[in-house]
Every structure is written in structure tokens, then in C-alpha cells.
């Protein structure tokens, strides 16, 4: 016998019970975001590789080692999307969405792909719910988006969710700060981890992310970007904080918060959950006021967040999986009743009654047991002579005159529940 194949490492099948829970996340996201005017968008699963190189950043882990990149038959380099913000900004520019009322508010639920070390809560294909508001730099947009993510996490029952907040300033203030940080790192070079040392030139900010003990010590006395913002950035950040404070949204100011993507400017934030172990990030995002320009567009401010569907479910309290509703189970008293039984089930569904038909040739006893297992409300026992309808709650059963009488009774029974 040959070996059975399995799903690739870091991927998983969404089995029906999980599909029901995931549907719950989708419904909550839709309700919360659409009530704030966000409209759903879907971009292609793959994009030109260049899109991510230019935006996420050449020096990031994502671009350096995590992308699923391939060449298509025409020799183009394509990449399975590792994130969805850059594709959405590309779409905004491609479709001239600057002509719409600003900001353009979009949400998505899309799969993402990253070649990461697979472990609990970290997969190679995962799903993100995200929201993006493009075309406004008003601090209210920042605060409102954070509020919406908080609401989604709360509604999903994510345990121990805490918010970290910071501001990275504009590109100009960041460039000035970078020089300061590089000087600090160079002054303590011998105590840094090798990978941090290698990135002093390319991406010094990532040193804040290092797990290495020596590096962490050096970083404790490092200058903080938050202390080097210019006046406009400080004012913007203060306004965001004021709005959050007014809503009673708790957060920790964390000057070490650097996110794994290069395009962020000004406000950045991340929610963690203490129910998540090592992969504690449950959702995060920030402003990307320079991203549209990176993609050849006019300067256009934007901000967004993404949260992982799997992480939400891992961090959420256990919830009962909703059972599918079966109002009518159509049982066969004899094989010759097949056509009639088939018709009853089909007609019932057309009338809006969830109905299932016996499909496995079970004995009558087996059929009744199965009907009980799937919690059918009624069972129609069909023979050539007639139909008997059993109410599974009361146990009563009686003959019914016709197919339509079966459906009428079930519909009535449903309404009086
Ligand atoms: P990021 O785009 O890296 O800011 O990630 C946003 C959110 O996506 C995280 O907070 C996680 O909830 C989720 N996420 C990121 N990477 C993974 C992964 N490899 N597996 C599962 N979820 C992920």
C-alpha cells in the first residue's frame, strides 16, 4: 500500500465544526465593520512579487524568507499574498478610488501565506480579517479603527486582550531617529546578536524585536522613537490617545513596538492575548501614509489592521458549535418508496424547510436512531401506501394525507416552537 498523503506542513483542513466557528468570526466582523461604513473587498490570492518587495520591505523577515514566490508559465514572478494591505492599496490606485468620497473604508477576510516555522497559532496558510481606511489622516480614523478591532475581539470573547500603542512618526522623523539608533547600536556592537548586527544598516529598528539577552540589554538604554517625534506627529498621536481615553480604551504606551512590516508611519498598535502562549499577537496594524507613493500613486494617507481568524478562535472562550437545523428527516419504510421520499425532501427544501433524506439504506430502527442523533424535529416515514409523520419531541405520530400536508405540518410545528 502506498503512503497516504497529508496536508502540507503548517496548513490545516477547515472541518465542518471549525467552519461553523469561523463563520461566527466572519459574521461579527461584517456586522461591526459594515455598521461603521466599511465595505468588503477581495483581491487576488497572488500578486506581482514586486508589490510586496516595495511595500513590506526588502529587509523584513516576510520578504527575505517567508514568501511563497513562483514563476508562472509566462516567466512573471508572482507571490502568494503574505498580507493584504499592499494589495488593497494597489487596488485603490488601480481603480482610481481617490475619486470616491474619502476615506475609502474597506474590509476583507482573506487567506495569507507565509513560510514560517509552523507551531500552535502559527501556520503557513492562515486567514486574516482586516480593515483599511484610505484617504484621511484624521486621528479619528486611527482611534475608530482601534475601537472597532477592540469590539471584534471582545465580541468573540478573546481572553486577556491587551493593547500596546505607539507612534513611529513620519518618514522624516524616523530617518533622523534612525541615525541616533544606529549610533547606539554601533557603540555596543560587540554585545549584539549576529543577525541584529548584520541589520544595523538595513533595519536597525528590528533590534527591538530580538530575543537575544545581550541585545535586549543594549536595547534597554537605546533611544526611543517616541521621544523623537516632530511636533505634528506628537500632536496627531496626542489626539488619537485623547479619543481612546475618552472611550475608556486601556492601552500601554510601548516605545519598543515595531511591527514586522516597513510601511508603517505614525500610529502603530497591537493586541495580544495572554491565552495565546508564544504567538501572543492576536491583531494589529497602523498608519501607512507613504504606501500609496511607494506604489507610484499620489501621496495618500491610510491606516488599517489585520487580525488572525485562527488566533481569535484559539484565544476565545470555548463556545458550543451550533448544530445544523434539521426540521424534517425523510425515512423509507421500504425501498420502493424511494421516489416518493425523494420528492418529499426536495419539496420541503423548496418550501424553506431544512430536510434530509435517508441515504444509507438503514433499517427502520437505524433510521429512527439516526434521526434522533441529528436532532430532527419531525420524521416522515414513507411507504407506497402512505406517509406517517412523527413529532420527535412529543413522540406522537399520525398518518398524513399528502406530501404537501407533511410540509404544512412541519412549517406549523416550527412556528409554534
Ligand atoms: P501581521 O500581518 O504580521 O501584522 O499579522 C496580523 C495578525 O495575523 C496577527 O496578529 C495574527 O493574528 C495573524 N497572523 C500573522 N501571521 C500568522 C501566522 N503565520 N499564522 C496564523 N496567524 C498569523
Amino acid at each position: 500500500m502506498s503512503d497516504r498523503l497529508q496536508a502540507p506542513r503548517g496548513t490545516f483542513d477547515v472541518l465542518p465544526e471549525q467552519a461553523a466557528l469561523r463563520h461566527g468570526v466572519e459574521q461579527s466582523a461584517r456586522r461591526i465593520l459594515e455598521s461603521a461604513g466599511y465595505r468588503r473587498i477581495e483581491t487576488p490570492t497572488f500578486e506581482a512579487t514586486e508589490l510586496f518587495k516595495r511595500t513590506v520591505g526588502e529587509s523584513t523577515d516576510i520578504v527575505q524568507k517567508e514568501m511563497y514566490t513562483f514563476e508562472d508559465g509566462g516567466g512573471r514572478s508572482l507571490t502568494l499574498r503574505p498580507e493584504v494591505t499592499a494589495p488593497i492599496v494597489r487596488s485603490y490606485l488601480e481603480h482610481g478610488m481617490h475619486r470616491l468620497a474619502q476615506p475609502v473604508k474597506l474590509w476583507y477576510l482573506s487567506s495569507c501565506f507565509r513560510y514560517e516555522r509552523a507551531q500552535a497559532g502559527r501556520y503557513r496558510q492562515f486567514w486574516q480579517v482586516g480593515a483599511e481606511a484610505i484617504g484621511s489622516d484624521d486621528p479619528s480614523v486611527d482611534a475608530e479603527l482601534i475601537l472597532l478591532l477592540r469590539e471584534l475581539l471582545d465580541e468573540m470573547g478573546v481572553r486577556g486582550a491587551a493593547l500596546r500603542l505607539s507612534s513611529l512618526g513620519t518618514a522624516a522623523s524616523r530617518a533622523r531617529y534612525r541615525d541616533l539608533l544606529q549610533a547606539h547600536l554601533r557603540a555596543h556592537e560587540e554585545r549584539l546578536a549576529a543577525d541584529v548586527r548584520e541589520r544595523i544598516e538595513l533595519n536597525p529598528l528590528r533590534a527591538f524585536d530580538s530575543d537575544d539577552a545581550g541585545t535586549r540589554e543594549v536595547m534597554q538604554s537605546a533611544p526611543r522613537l517616541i521621544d523623537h517625534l516632530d511636533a505634528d506627529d506628537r500632536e496627531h498621536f496626542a489626539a488619537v490617545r485623547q479619543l481612546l481615553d475618552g472611550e475608556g480604551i486601556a492601552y500601554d504606551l510601548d516605545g519598543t513596538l515595531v511591527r514586522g512590516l516597513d510601511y508603517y508611519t505614525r500610529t502603530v498598535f497591537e493586541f495580544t492575548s495572554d491565552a495565546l502562549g508564544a504567538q501572543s499577537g492576536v491583531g494589529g496594524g497602523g498608519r501607512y501614509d507613504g504606501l500609496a507613493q511607494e506604489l507610484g500613486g499620489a501621496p495618500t494617507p491610510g491606516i488599517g489592521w489585520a487580525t488572525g481568524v485562527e488566533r481569535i478562535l484559539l484565544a476565545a472562550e470555548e463556545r458550543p458549535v451550533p448544530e445544523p437545523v434539521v426540521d424534517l428527516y425523510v425515512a423509507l419504510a421500504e425501498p420502493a418508496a424511494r421516489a416518493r421520499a425523494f420528492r418529499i425532501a426536495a419539496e420541503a427544501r423548496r418550501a424553506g424547510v431544512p430536510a434530509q433524506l435517508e441515504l444509507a439504506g438503514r433499517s427502520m430502527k437505524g433510521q429512527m436512531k439516526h434521526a434522533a442523533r441529528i436532532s430532527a424535529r419531525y420524521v416522515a416515514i414513507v411507504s407506497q401506501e402512505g406517509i406517517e409523520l412523527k413529532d420527535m419531541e412529543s413522540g406522537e405520530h399520525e398518518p398524513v394525507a399528502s406530501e404537501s400536508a407533511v410540509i404544512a405540518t412541519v412549517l406549523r410545528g416550527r412556528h409554534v416552537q
Side-chain angles (χ1 to χ4, degrees):
M1 222 174 84
S2 60
D3 287 342
R4 261 182 301 165
L5 294 177
Q6 296 187 330
R9 195 171 163 69
T11 70
F12 52 86
D13 298 310
V14 177
L15 299 176
E17 298 81 54
Q18 281 114 41
L21 293 171
R22 296 165 73 93
H23 185 64
V25 180
E26 177 173 353
Q27 275 181 317
S28 292
R30 167 172 292 121
R31 197 187 50 68
I32 290 169
L33 292 168
E34 294 193 352
S35 77
Y38 286 74
R39 298 176 69 203
R40 188 154 181 179
I41 186 170
E42 185 70 54
T43 61
T45 306
F46 53 82
E47 296 271 354
T49 301
E50 177 69 16
L51 175 66
F52 302 111
K53 285 198 170 164
R54 263 207 249 170
T55 56
V56 174
E58 294 270 10
S59 67
T60 59
D61 282 350
I62 292 181
V63 170
Q64 285 202 339
K65 51 187 188 204
E66 294 175 2
M67 296 208 299
Y68 283 93
T69 296
F70 59 97
E71 220 175 71
D72 72 1
R76 298 169 198 90
S77 179
L78 300 172
T79 292
L80 299 182
R81 59 183 167 211
E83 62 99 48
V84 196
T85 301
I88 288 179
V89 174
R90 183 222 14 93
S91 178
Y92 174 96
L93 296 173
E94 190 169 329
H95 297 283
M97 291 190 217
H98 63 279
R99 290 190 297 265
L100 305 175
Q102 304 293 299
V104 173
K105 295 182 286 188
L106 302 166
W107 78 276
Y108 59 86
L109 195 177
S110 303
S111 52
C112 294
F113 305 83
R114 293 181 196 173
Y115 184 68
E116 295 201 81
R117 209 155 41 79
Q119 60 187 85
R122 200 207 260 159
Y123 310 100
R124 290 178 178 169
Q125 179 179 12
F126 56 97
W127 273 259
Q128 286 187 340
V129 166
E132 313 286 348
I134 307 173
S136 166
D137 65 1
D138 192 311
S140 304
V141 188
D142 308 40
E144 188 172 75
L145 270 169
I146 292 171
L147 183 69
L148 293 169
L149 179 52
R150 174 89 238 183
E151 275 174 19
L152 176 60
L153 300 180
D154 285 349
E155 183 163 311
M156 295 319 302
V158 167
R159 288 166 291 167
L163 171 62
R164 294 193 295 152
L165 181 70
S166 191
S167 174
L168 300 179
T170 48
S173 57
R174 199 141 55 139
R176 280 193 303 275
Y177 166 74
R178 229 176 115 101
D179 293 342
L180 288 175
L181 180 61
Q182 280 171 336
H184 178 79
L185 292 172
R186 278 198 207 97
H188 302 280
E189 206 166 332
E190 74 291 347
R191 288 161 63 200
L192 299 175
D195 64 323
V196 174
R197 218 177 304 139
E198 275 160 26
R199 288 202 218 175
I200 294 181
E201 284 308 317
L202 258 180
N203 198 350
L205 271 161
R206 291 306 303 275
F208 284 110
D209 265 354
S210 175
D211 294 330
D212 170 70
T215 306
R216 291 185 80 94
E217 244 180 73
V218 172
M219 296 322 284
Q220 265 170 16
S221 58
R224 297 285 153 95
L225 178 48
I226 194 114
D227 303 320
H228 295 272
L229 302 181
D230 65 27
D232 280 354
D233 294 345
R234 274 205 304 274
E235 198 182 307
H236 187 273
F237 193 45
V240 174
R241 292 179 55 188
Q242 205 173 16
L243 291 167
L244 293 175
D245 294 341
E247 279 300 302
I249 301 231
Y251 54 83
D252 287 324
L253 276 189
D254 184 349
T256 69
L257 179 62
V258 278
R259 306 198 18 92
L261 304 100
D262 273 0
Y263 51 60
Y264 287 116
T265 54
R266 292 192 158 177
T267 315
V268 284
F269 53 94
E270 185 160 83
F271 282 92
T272 52
S273 162
D274 57 18
L276 278 176
Q279 301 304 311
S280 64
V282 66
R287 263 202 176 274
Y288 43 79
D289 293 343
L291 186 50
Q293 259 177 306
E294 287 293 329
L295 294 176
T300 313
I303 173 164
W305 51 250
T307 174
V309 172
E310 297 77 26
R311 296 249 179 113
I312 286 184
L313 291 174
L314 277 172
E317 290 133 22
E318 293 263 333
R319 285 178 187 220
V321 179
E323 289 284 330
V325 177
V326 189
D327 280 336
L328 178 63
Y329 185 72
V330 186
L332 274 72
E334 53 189 348
R338 177 188 284 148
R340 193 171 194 192
F342 190 88
R343 200 165 57 238
I344 293 174
E347 276 181 19
R349 286 191 296 265
R350 276 196 287 272
V353 173
Q356 292 189 27
L357 179 65
E358 166 59 22
L359 297 172
R362 293 178 181 85
S363 68
M364 186 42 76
K365 200 169 146 211
Q367 294 186 69
M368 296 314 289
K369 241 166 102 177
H370 182 63
R373 195 181 312 132
I374 62 174
S375 307
R377 180 84 179 77
Y378 288 92
V379 179
I381 302 158
V382 185
S383 67
Q384 279 175 297
E385 281 73 52
I387 311 166
E388 205 162 289
L389 192 61
K390 179 170 180 185
D391 181 329
M392 295 292 278
E393 239 163 60
S394 65
E396 284 167 21
H397 50 100
E398 53 178 20
V400 277
S402 64
E403 282 88 340
S404 51
V406 171
I407 295 165
T409 309
V410 175
L411 279 172
R412 250 199 328 274
R414 266 207 315 179
H415 291 315
V416 294
Q417 262 181 21

